[in-house]
Amino acid sequence: MKKHYLFLMKTNQLYGAERRILSIFSRVDYSAYSITLAVCNKDVFVPYVKNNKLAIELTNLPSHSDTNGIVKKIWRFYKFFRENSPDVIVFSQFYLTSFSLAELLAGLLVTKGNNYMIVHDSGLHYKKYKSRLHFAIFPGIGLQWRL
């Protein structure tokens, strides 16, 4: 039996992170896995999926407005996840707050903990400082300050 993965992305466009995920899908063994990609607007992704002959199913995410309260939001996403019946849910985020606690809880309830996250965020770039006072005992360990 195929293992079903449900990937979630809150996006309306096809940019770098979306293309990266779709390029990963081109390397999947579809005899062992089935993949559903849930996005805000699946019509944007249909041409790319057809042109690259990806064997994935596209669907729209349920409305993610926060006006209905957390209980109703958990219930809405719980029903959505149950309809798709995934074995694994992968939350593909652009920053750490892309998905709310309600969506994560609904995913945990449906998959019994088989949830994963991918964060498409650039790492922090720290500036290297040349001014450094070294202690004689431990070379390389010292104090840093900004000039």
Side-chain angles (χ1 to χ4, degrees):
M1 188 167 144
K2 290 183 178 184
K3 196 165 189 173
H4 183 216
Y5 282 75
L6 175 63
F7 282 77
L8 307 173
M9 293 183 93
K10 285 189 177 177
T11 182
N12 289 320
Q13 298 297 322
L14 189 58
Y15 294 123
E18 296 84 357
R19 289 179 191 274
R20 186 179 320 142
I21 289 290
L22 292 171
S23 71
I24 291 170
F25 295 159
S26 66
R27 296 175 184 92
V28 172
D29 177 14
Y30 288 102
S31 63
Y33 303 99
S34 67
I35 294 176
T36 301
L37 176 62
V39 292
C40 295
N41 183 4
K42 73 177 187 178
D43 297 332
V44 172
F45 291 82
V46 170
Y48 186 90
V49 169
K50 285 184 180 179
N51 290 342
N52 291 296
K53 299 178 178 132
L54 298 175
I56 67 170
E57 183 182 332
L58 289 168
T59 187
N60 286 325
L61 280 169
S63 169
H64 52 275
S65 64
D66 293 328
T67 57
N68 294 333
I70 191 166
V71 174
K72 289 182 180 180
K73 191 171 189 179
I74 291 172
W75 180 245
R76 185 171 56 243
F77 273 87
Y78 179 80
K79 289 191 307 186
F80 172 73
F81 293 148
R82 294 285 295 182
E83 289 169 5
N84 285 285
S85 61
D87 297 311
V88 177
I89 297 175
V90 180
F91 294 90
S92 184
Q93 306 190 87
F94 300 105
Y95 44 91
L96 287 175
T97 57
S98 291
F99 291 97
S100 69
L101 182 61
E103 295 153 341
L104 298 174
L105 287 174
L108 287 171
L109 290 171
V110 171
T111 63
K112 297 177 180 58
N114 285 326
N115 289 358
Y116 298 92
M117 290 189 178
I118 300 171
V119 179
H120 302 280
D121 205 359
S122 63
L124 297 174
H125 301 286
Y126 292 106
K127 189 176 182 181
K128 292 187 179 183
Y129 299 107
K130 295 181 181 180
S131 300
R132 192 168 193 154
L133 173 67
H134 294 282
F135 298 111
I137 300 171
F138 303 107
I141 296 175
L143 303 172
Q144 286 188 357
W145 63 88
R146 296 178 185 173
L147 295 176

